[in-house]
Amino acid sequence: AFFWLVSLLLSSLIWFIAVKASNPHDEQLQKGLLIFGVMFSVLLQEAFRFLYYKLLRKAIEGLVALSEDGCSPISIQQMAYVAGVGFGLMSGAFSMINLLADALGPGTVGIHGDSQLYFLTSAFMTMVLIFLHTFWGILFFHGCESRRWWEIAAVVVMHLAVSGSTFCNPLYVGSLVPSYLLMAAAAAWAYLLSGGSAQNLRRFLLCK
């Protein structure tokens, strides 16, 4: 969570400087800066995810050196899951804080004919991002461990795609549907990389 907060702070600082140094009355420029800010923030988040992986890798080496049996008490897969949950929960917390701040007013959602589903769809978007960060953590760490750089690239591309789809709003179908499809694909991929199988899933569903 701390690493995600640092990435958010740095990306917010860069975006703030860019906005202050530009013409605030140029709508096209401001929109371009917003897109740049979102894409830069995504890349910075993934860079900090990699830095966090390197830190955890060093920590595991230290734990192995100190342990009596030469084994780490926690696996890199468990750390990947926890790291993904931390990124996701902090991302979701900030999303909800921003929404609640907007909900204080003034104004009424949809009063000018816009969609009244803003808060509902934002809640669904926040949920999908929490799950995606969890799955992305597993995929990213696995890619780093096995040196499959295409897995890392896939995580970055999915993150950029989900973030970029929000620019389709207020056409919420254009952002929610692709995001949930990507979440399903990432969930299945992370499940398989974690050692899951169709047989295990069937046993779980049948409570065997």
Side-chain angles (χ1 to χ4, degrees):
F2 173 76
F3 271 69
W4 188 90
L5 283 173
V6 174
S7 70
L8 178 67
L9 175 64
L10 293 177
S11 58
S12 299
L13 181 62
I14 296 297
W15 181 77
F16 179 78
I17 294 174
V19 169
K20 289 298 182 181
S22 61
N23 181 9
H25 302 293
D26 191 339
E27 294 185 2
Q28 285 296 112
L29 177 60
Q30 293 303 315
K31 184 177 181 180
L33 287 176
L34 179 60
I35 296 174
F36 162 76
V38 170
M39 299 298 110
F40 181 78
S41 177
V42 168
L43 295 176
L44 201 58
Q45 288 177 48
E46 297 306 328
F48 270 81
R49 199 193 301 271
F50 179 73
L51 291 176
Y52 189 52
Y53 163 78
K54 298 295 288 185
L55 179 65
L56 289 179
R57 187 24 92 190
K58 290 291 183 181
I60 288 180
E61 293 175 1
L63 290 173
V64 170
L66 293 174
S67 64
E68 296 180 355
D69 56 358
C71 297
S72 172
I74 185 171
S75 66
I76 193 67
Q77 290 85 2
Q78 291 171 315
M79 288 189 173
Y81 174 75
V82 173
V85 171
F87 268 57
L89 289 179
M90 189 54 62
S91 172
F94 262 78
S95 297
M96 293 310 297
I97 288 173
N98 290 333
L99 284 174
L100 292 175
D102 290 339
L104 292 176
T108 302
V109 177
I111 194 171
H112 294 297
D114 297 324
S115 175
Q116 298 183 1
L117 301 177
Y118 172 69
F119 291 108
L120 181 62
T121 53
S122 297
F124 277 105
M125 196 67 190
T126 300
M127 182 179 69
V128 75
L129 279 174
I130 293 174
F131 280 116
L132 278 171
H133 271 294
T134 304
F135 303 142
W136 287 337
I138 296 172
L139 298 176
F140 195 97
F141 277 45
H142 183 271
C144 292
E145 279 291 291
S146 58
R147 298 190 180 277
R148 295 181 180 178
W149 306 117
W150 60 271
E151 289 185 351
I152 300 174
V155 171
V156 176
V157 169
M158 282 191 288
H159 199 166
L160 288 170
V162 171
S163 298
S165 67
T166 58
F167 291 110
C168 296
N169 297 337
L171 182 61
Y172 297 114
V173 176
S175 60
L176 283 177
V177 173
S179 297
Y180 272 83
L181 290 176
L182 279 176
M183 184 192 72
W189 192 0
Y191 175 72
L192 293 175
L193 290 182
S194 301
S197 64
Q199 183 179 9
N200 291 340
L201 181 61
R202 185 171 61 254
R203 287 178 176 176
F204 168 76
L205 294 176
L206 296 177
C207 300
K208 290 184 177 180

